[in-house]
Amino acid sequence: VQEEKAIQLITIDNNGTFEVSREALQMLNSIKKRIAIVTVAGKSRTGKSFLLNRLIGRQDGFALGSTINPCTKGLWIWNKPVAITEDVQAIFVDTEGLDSFSRNVHLDMKIFALAMLISSYFIYNSMTALDEQALESLSLVVSLSKYIHVHSRSAQVSEELDEYSQYFPFFMWVVRDFGLQLVDSLQQTIT
């Protein structure tokens, strides 16, 4: 019986070159059922690995750090797929945090784009209140257009965009440790 653990999916060297790990490739190739990729991305040091550990039902699993130094480098996966249905298994992916002091915006964009492109379900994790900084961080989703180009002409535009949209993941924005009441200017609850 294989030990359940996080294994590196993608390594990123100091030059920004991405490489798929052999161990992860072998594990993925051994899966005989359909897979759904659930990825958690977000700013550095916001609890992405902690959230993933909760999703896989563990107290430990993906490495957690207690310092300002990033703990997750590259992309990591849980080496045991989780059964979602009889014929679909989920693979959970942990990503290197954005805005880390050890990476630049260009590399952050590549990590974020890759994470989104491999995902069936993409979770953007952020902390505390929804503020301008959180919205700016999420603007990476919009900036993906620089890395993912859809070339089309006039009348074909909407058809081609509809065709490509089927390949983009479902999106969820998780705001953790949010302690403010959601009310409008008339004190009516916002739902």
Side-chain angles (χ1 to χ4, degrees), residues 114-126:
L114 177 61
M116 184 168 278
L117 288 171
I118 66 171
S119 297
S120 306
Y121 205 97
F122 186 83
I123 301 170
Y124 182 79
N125 182 66
S126 63

Side-chain angles (χ1 to χ4, degrees), residues 106-136:
H106 180 70
L107 193 52
D108 280 351
M109 187 79 74
K110 285 183 172 182
I111 293 168
F112 198 82
L114 177 61
M116 184 168 278
L117 288 171
I118 66 171
S119 297
S120 306
Y121 205 97
F122 186 83
I123 301 170
Y124 182 79
N125 182 66
S126 63
M127 298 284 285
T128 64
L130 302 175
D131 59 11
E132 186 175 347
Q133 184 179 6
L135 293 173
E136 286 177 12

Side-chain angles (χ1 to χ4, degrees), residues 7-48:
I7 58 174
Q8 191 143 37
L9 172 63
I10 304 285
T11 58
I12 306 167
D13 68 17
N14 291 334
N15 297 322
T17 303
F18 290 50
E19 186 174 335
V20 178
S21 129
R22 287 184 193 270
E23 181 180 15
L25 195 56
Q26 288 172 343
M27 189 278 289
L28 291 170
N29 283 332
S30 72
I31 299 171
K32 302 302 178 208
K33 297 181 179 185
R34 292 182 17 209
I35 61 171
I37 306 291
V38 179
T39 303
V40 176
K43 289 186 68 156
S44 185
R45 313 301 312 144
T46 57
K48 294 173 297 301

Side-chain angles (χ1 to χ4, degrees), residues 174-190:
V174 173
V175 182
R176 299 188 43 223
D177 303 328
F178 186 79
L180 303 175
Q181 292 181 344
L182 289 174
V183 295
D184 63 18
S185 62
L186 300 173
Q187 299 303 307
Q188 299 295 314
T189 301
I190 299 171

Side-chain angles (χ1 to χ4, degrees), residues 12 17 27 31 33 42 69 77 83 87 91-92 99 102-103 105 107-108 113 116 147 154 156 165 169-170 178:
I12 306 167
T17 303
M27 189 278 289
I31 299 171
K33 297 181 179 185
N69 298 315
I77 58 174
D87 63 336
I91 301 294
F92 290 88
D99 296 337
S102 63
R103 301 287 193 191
V105 174
L107 193 52
D108 280 351
M116 184 168 278
Y147 289 91
S154 61
Q156 297 176 348
S165 70
F170 291 99
F178 186 79

